[in-house]
Amino acid sequence: MLVLSVSKWFLFMLSALPLASAPPGDEAARILTTQCKSCHDGSLRPAFDLTSPQVRATMLKAIHGGGPGVKAMPPGRKLKPEHLASLSAWIERGAPLPGPHWAFTPLAPLTPGQSIDSLIDANLHARGIPAAPPAGSRTLLRRLSFDLTGLPPKTKPPASFSTYIDQLLSSPHFGEHWGRHWLDVARYGEDDYSGTAVQPYPQAWRFRDWVVNSFNRNLPYNTFLMAQIAGDLMNDPSLAGGTGLFGLGPWYYGISQPPQARADERHDRIDMVSRGMLGVTLACARCHDHKYDPFTQKDYYALSGVFSSSAYKEYPLVPETEAASWRTRKKALDDAEKALNTFLTNQAVRLRAEYAPGLSRYMMATLNADPAGLNLELFNRWCEYLRRPEDLHPYLKDWFAAPSLAHAQAFERLLLTIDQEKKALDEENRQIIAAAEKAALKPKRTIVLPGGYRSEEDFNPNAGVAIKSLPRDRFVAWNRTFSEGAAPLRFPPDLTVKFLTGPHKDEYNRLLATRDRLKKELGPKFPYFDGISEFDPHDLPVDLRGNPENTGDIVPRRFPLALSNNLPIPFNEGSGRLALARTIAHHPLAARVAVNRIWMHLFGAPIVRTPSNFGLAGERPSHPELLEYLAARFAASGYDTKALIREIVSSRAYQRSASGDSTKDPANLYFARQSRKRLPAEPLRDAMLAASGRLDLRTGGESEELTPNMRRRTLYARIGRFEANETLALFDAPNAAVTCEQRVVTNVPLQKLFYLNSDLVSTESRALGEFLRRHGLDKTYQRLFQRKPTPTEKQAARDFLRSGGAHAQLAQVLLSTNEFAYVD
């Protein structure tokens, strides 16, 4: 009997035509995917030999109900008649399979005579879609300036648009704007949540500036990608700063157990590389083979091993001797801090043992509020402790019923007994834990994360070890008396110091003076950038169902097979990052993804409307020939980003009006017109500052808190992963914890309320209002809109001011207009 089984690749090829886009009259791919794939999941071997007439005859027999030696398919049910007819016709035609997925093929060669306009115009003509007329000079002036630099244009018109384009491309603000696009993809952030507090990255801005400078100096895009994966291995010091892409995390510190946290970090790296650089969703294969694309779990863990073989590293920007000297001073300070804290902890234990006997005196003193002969601090604590009888006070029922010295002394004896029991249990548990750790001892790969956090530190150590504890009521009594926050016999450091006398006080003063001296001598930390480096190269096992505590076969490090024509590209030199970088940098997907995003930023919509998913479940390009042309041109130019942008913005397609006929192409899939674009959060704020005359155009340097008084470009505002800025988030700035290739554009009432109530709008309106008062409406309109006001607008402004309206109020209205916030 021939048992039908379908190979993984066969099923992926069947899925190459997505369900929503199967060609009319050919339902085979749809039927096989929906009716067969749930059972034939690719785990069975051997595969069909579809070239065999016998196999095809058996398939036909199976779908028609089976027979001797052939099982009926699908088992237990029948195909719909129309499905049966389509599938039968496909088999009788020889069961032809779709070719390789379009995005995984090599770049098509350039065709002589092709251009952006020839391809777009031919497509529009074939579809009968009229092209929009050219945009006016003012519209084009604004469009070019905002698209290339993210800033409003200067009021003086250029001598020619070709010259103007070159000026914008050579402006330092070009890199600021286009660097911001990449920082969205790079999920750039300047802190992480460590599980107990926010972990800041004070030098993160150096990666931001590296990205900006890379765009300004037109670093070839393939080199740009390589530097961010393996810049430390490329023998060019200027490229090592690119490793901040991974050096800045996200890191997950103690938000989960170490194996899970490290696995989550590697998952982020795989997602960044696959979606961010290659436009495929390889990260979906963490727990199982990809449901749509030809990526297996082994592909995922083959790549994960590359990042497991890399570690965080600080790269000093000073001579190593200077950095080593600072580290030595820092270690001395840390040791002094530890010695001081250990001393205070030991003194707290001593004080607890000293004041526990006699606690009955404090209890009796609370009855008549007479602390004579007692420590006033401890007396007040006992008063607070006994003030609320409704709270849980084990063993004090008799005291609260009838306070007496006998009851107080009985409680004191009980607490001293419980304290001795607790000490004995603590020592017994220490031995139990030591034995468990010895039994489970295995080598640990400890990586030091930013802030000195050790990657294998357990936020809940020995949680799985069975230890002993006091009975509940006895523990509660001990805890409320000796340990919890307001316990009367708890001695935190500040209270402990107050009780020190004699030699104890002298020792404390000595330790404190040493700590303070070393703190003063330490000085500020040397400048550095956050990056990654090689670390213990090794292969990883598959995490079964994505669980890092349950592992399977070890997978050698390599590139995903489906992206290398099923020929293994091994990554066995060091971590494999350099080989990975080279492979990605010259992969056809990297070029396609890059030009698609560049087109998106210039036209408001990409050619492939799923910019980070070029896989089987993603959208097909609306203009396949155009995408291939742009990608091939990009590669042929040496991955020259500025040259590609210059070619696009010089095209008739880019320079068309946004007000063309939309009846035949409402979604503007074929780019017959330009798209009207709302300014993203950062250019919108920058434009307000530019309009008010308060924008500080200094480039580079440390980040600042985004306050109404910050005058620099928004790019230089501190970006938090733990807590996003509310204003930027309101205008759709992305979450800095995950890669974002395309910002959503929302239109919500809170945005209009922002214009009414924001301190930023109020501050800029006052400054712009003063400009309006001094220079008049014409110059104000030129600054805001690059045009003169119409007679109607002039009259409305005069009427408003004559009626008692303030210049700042009129300026606020102008800053709130759609004309200011949108670019045609």
Side-chain angles (χ1 to χ4, degrees), residues 343-363:
F343 172 79
L344 290 174
T345 298
N346 292 337
Q347 290 302 304
V349 172
R350 179 183 66 81
L351 290 169
R352 189 179 78 193
E354 179 180 335
Y355 281 93
L359 65 85
S360 57
R361 294 174 55 209
Y362 283 88
M363 295 176 66

Side-chain angles (χ1 to χ4, degrees), residues 216-260:
N216 276 335
R217 67 187 179 111
N218 205 21
L219 185 68
Y221 181 74
N222 59 343
T223 305
F224 177 70
L225 292 184
M226 287 184 66
Q228 292 175 86
I229 300 172
D232 57 313
L233 305 174
M234 293 176 65
N235 299 319
D236 182 345
S238 70
L239 300 178
T243 60
L245 175 72
F246 297 122
L248 290 170
W251 299 104
Y252 295 120
Y253 296 97
I255 63 175
S256 58
Q257 291 284 19
Q260 186 68 48

Side-chain angles (χ1 to χ4, degrees), residues 196 302 369 427 570 764:
T196 56
E427 174 58 25
E764 305 317 316

